């Protein structure tokens, strides 16, 4: 376009210059004089040329302005490109550093695994030695018992004193041998616990390394085929409950993710003690959460893990169905006196209405009777829209409040209404509160309750 305009204007300028100079015309007459006729360009042509020059100047100005804008855009893009290249370089350096650290950590893990294998071999040899010692001790005990029997069968008054002395010596030896056997068994148990903790920590480190590896892009995943899909389908090792987290080395109470067998992962609050980790399933402390909920809310759970909450019957069932579990209930009154209830239990699934069954071998204490008496046989869970209690033509959850394993309404309810001190004066209101009948009575609203579960093995260490 610019070239066409410039060509046209140049042509017009040439015409103007040609018409602007005078031209000589020679006549055919015999006169010797020459007449000169001067011709000038018309005024319209001059205007056209001037207008064209003005348009040319404006076009040149617009072209220069557009060129400046394009140059600024190119400069900005170059700056962005340079900055991006610099950031990519830094990111590449960071990834290389992380890769080096990861390789170093993997090497350290391999070294620890080798050490653990050596320790395992030593423990195995030690266990075999201890078993040999136990067999030797058993043989010696058998010989001592035969000797005792022989001494007891041998009569005679003259041997009475000697037999008595020998019997005492044998008894001392037997006690010493028994003590040695107990010490050996304790040593084996401690070594086994250490070995379990080491294995759990190694599994945790392996899981962390696997999770920290960079994931392949979508294009690379599409090219790898079935092998990539098999790697993605392999689940990362997540602890099944809080006690397994404790065995892996976690000692701080707080929020963690767990994944019971045949369940999705979910968040729980772990109460860590010196003996193990407890999974908290319920907490009441200030009345900030309304526990008068319907069936589906109690199945899924509600509240805040850092405050008042109910974990959810389905989650509790998934955790506890893995084996023998202990229900640990902590209570507090408004004088800050505390009470604790421990009950072995099983919790059925939704097909049983999440029935609770306690399985204590020893007789129940008075404190345990508020829940243990009703749940020696499976007792289903009840809410005001799911009446599963054992009282005919009466809905305990609706008459009281919240959801609970109600039998005949009056023994316990830790999910009732939260009343601040002093309690309400009306008796029918106090019946709706959080209560534990065999501790402070049915009409005493408690200040605090917390329910926790853990494998039964933790009870043997407490």
């Amino acid at each position: 376009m610019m070239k066409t305009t410039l060509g046209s204007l140049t042509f017009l300028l040439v015409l103007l210059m040609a018409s602007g100079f005078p031209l000589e015309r020679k006549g055919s007459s015999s006169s010797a004089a020459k007449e000169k006729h001067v011709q000038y360009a018309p005024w319209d042509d001059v205007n056209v040329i001037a207008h064209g020059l003005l348009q040319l100047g404006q076009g040149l100005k617009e072209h220069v302005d557009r060129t400046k804008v394009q140059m600024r855009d190119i400069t900005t893009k170059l700056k962005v490109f340079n900055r991006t290249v610099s950031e990519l370089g830094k990111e590449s350096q960071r990834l290389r550093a992380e890769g080096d650290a990861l390789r170093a950590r993997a090497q350290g893990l391999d070294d620890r695994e080798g050490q653990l294998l050596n320790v395992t071999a030593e423990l195995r040899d030690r266990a075999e030695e201890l078993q040999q010692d136990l067999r030797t001790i058993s043989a010696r005990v058998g010989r001592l018992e035969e000797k005792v029997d022989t001494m007891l069968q041998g009569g005679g008054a003259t041997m009475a004193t000697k037999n008595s002395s020998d019997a005492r010596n044998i008894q001392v030896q037997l006690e010493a041998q028994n003590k040695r056997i107990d010490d050996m068994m304790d040593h084996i148990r401690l070594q086994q616990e250490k070995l379990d903790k080491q294995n759990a920590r190694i599994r945790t480190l392996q899981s962390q390394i696997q999770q920290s590896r960079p994931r392949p892009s979508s294009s690379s995943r599409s090219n790898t085929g079935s092998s990539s899909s098999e790697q993605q389908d392999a689940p990362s090792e997540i602890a099944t409950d809080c006690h397994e987290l404790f065995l892996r080395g976690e000692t701080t109470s707080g929020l963690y993710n767990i994944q019971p067998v045949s369940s999705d992962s979910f968040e729980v609050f772990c109460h860590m003690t010196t003996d193990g980790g407890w999974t908290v399933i319920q907490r009441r402390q200030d009345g900030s959460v309304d526990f008068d909920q319907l069936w589906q809310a109690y199945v899924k759970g509600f509240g805040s893990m850092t405050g008042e909450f109910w974990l959810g019957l389905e989650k509790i069932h998934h955790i506890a169905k893995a084996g023998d579990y202990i229900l640990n209930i902590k209570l507090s009154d408004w004088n800050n006196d505390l009470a604790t209830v421990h009950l072995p239990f099983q919790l059925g699934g939704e097909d049983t209405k999440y029935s609770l069954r306690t399985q204590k071998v020893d007789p129940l204490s008075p404190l345990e009777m508020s829940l243990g008496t009703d749940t020696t046989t499976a007792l289903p869970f009840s809410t005001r829209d799911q009446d599963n209690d054992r009282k005919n033509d009466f809905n305990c959850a609706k008459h009281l409040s919240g959801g609970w394993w109600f039998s005949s309404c009056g023994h316990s309810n830790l999910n009732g209404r939260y009343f601040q001190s002093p309690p309400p004066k009306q008796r029918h209101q106090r019946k709706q509160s959080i209560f534990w009948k065999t501790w402070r009575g049915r009409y005493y609203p408690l200040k605090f309750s917390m329910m926790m579960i853990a494998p039964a093995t933790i009870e043997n260490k407490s």
Side-chain angles (χ1 to χ4, degrees), residues 226-355:
S226 60
S227 61
S228 176
S229 62
E230 290 176 0
Q231 291 178 358
Q232 292 176 1
D233 292 339
S236 58
E237 294 186 5
I238 304 179
T240 57
D241 62 8
C242 292
H243 187 59
E244 184 174 341
L245 285 169
F246 173 81
L247 294 178
R248 293 184 181 187
E250 299 291 347
T251 58
T252 303
S253 298
L255 298 177
Y256 294 89
N257 279 326
I258 65 171
Q259 186 173 11
V261 179
S262 302
S263 171
D264 295 332
S265 63
F266 52 86
E267 190 177 50
V268 296
F269 189 93
C270 294
H271 179 69
M272 300 299 188
T273 66
T274 57
D275 300 313
W278 293 86
T279 305
V280 182
I281 65 172
Q282 184 253 31
R283 187 189 295 119
R284 307 295 304 278
Q285 61 187 19
D286 54 18
S288 58
V289 174
D290 182 11
F291 271 64
D292 192 18
Q293 302 283 341
L294 300 180
W295 176 262
Q296 283 302 320
Y298 272 97
V299 170
K300 295 180 180 179
F302 54 86
S304 171
M305 290 289 177
T306 57
E308 292 195 335
F309 70 94
W310 174 259
L311 181 60
L313 291 167
E314 186 67 16
K315 296 175 183 177
I316 301 170
H317 167 66
H318 277 297
I319 297 173
K321 73 178 182 180
D324 296 332
Y325 267 70
I326 298 292
L327 174 62
N328 181 3
I329 301 175
K330 294 187 178 297
L331 307 172
S332 172
D333 62 13
W334 291 92
N335 293 323
N336 294 324
D337 293 333
L338 302 176
T340 302
V341 179
H342 282 196
L343 286 171
F345 80 99
Q346 288 182 345
L347 185 67
E350 188 172 13
D351 56 332
T352 69
K353 304 296 183 182
Y354 300 101
S355 294

Side-chain angles (χ1 to χ4, degrees), residues 440-456:
R440 288 293 181 263
R442 184 181 180 185
Y443 302 104
Y444 183 95
L446 296 177
K447 178 182 180 181
F448 173 85
S449 74
M450 183 166 65
M451 301 172 64
M452 308 178 292
I453 60 174

Side-chain angles (χ1 to χ4, degrees), residues 112-127 191 194-195 198:
R112 289 190 63 183
E113 186 174 4
Q115 295 175 0
L116 182 62
L117 291 175
N118 295 332
V119 172
T120 303
E122 293 176 0
L123 288 174
R124 190 180 297 109
D125 296 338
R126 181 60 177 165
Q191 293 295 337
K194 291 180 181 179
L195 185 61
Q198 289 292 337

